[in-house]
Amino acid sequence: MASVVNDSCVKCLTCVDVCPVGAIKERDTQVVVNPDECIDCGVCISECPNGAITTADEADEKWIKFNADEAAK
């Protein structure tokens, strides 16, 4: 299951730099994880300085949908 970015994201791009498969996409106000590309390695979760990334199991449904919708654009 893919990682999910929530509204604690300040767009520092640390997660973009550490994602081994390029699944994290930059958008206007924050980054999002493309669930179709994420390999669920957890590197972005451990490296996020703001705790803005969680597993989908821990994420609110609205953030799961937001990440998928925004990644598809």
Side-chain angles (χ1 to χ4, degrees), residues 2-3 5 11 43 47 51 55 62-63 68:
S3 297
V5 182
K11 205 173 171 181
V43 174
E47 294 296 319
T55 64
K62 73 177 182 180
W63 292 113

Side-chain angles (χ1 to χ4, degrees), residues 33-62:
V33 177
N34 184 327
D36 295 330
E37 296 176 6
C38 180
I39 60 170
D40 198 28
C41 66
V43 174
C44 59
I45 294 171
S46 64
E47 294 296 319
C48 179
N50 295 315
I53 308 173
T54 63
T55 64
D57 291 339
E58 298 171 335
D60 187 293
E61 184 62 37
K62 73 177 182 180

Side-chain angles (χ1 to χ4, degrees), residues 1-2 5 13 16-18 20 22 24-25 29 31 33 35-38 43 47-48 51 59 68-71:
M1 188 154 283
V5 182
L13 306 181
V16 173
D17 294 337
V18 299
I24 302 172
K25 311 300 180 192
T29 59
V31 299
V33 177
D36 295 330
E37 296 176 6
C38 180
V43 174
E47 294 296 319
C48 179
D69 290 348
E70 288 294 313

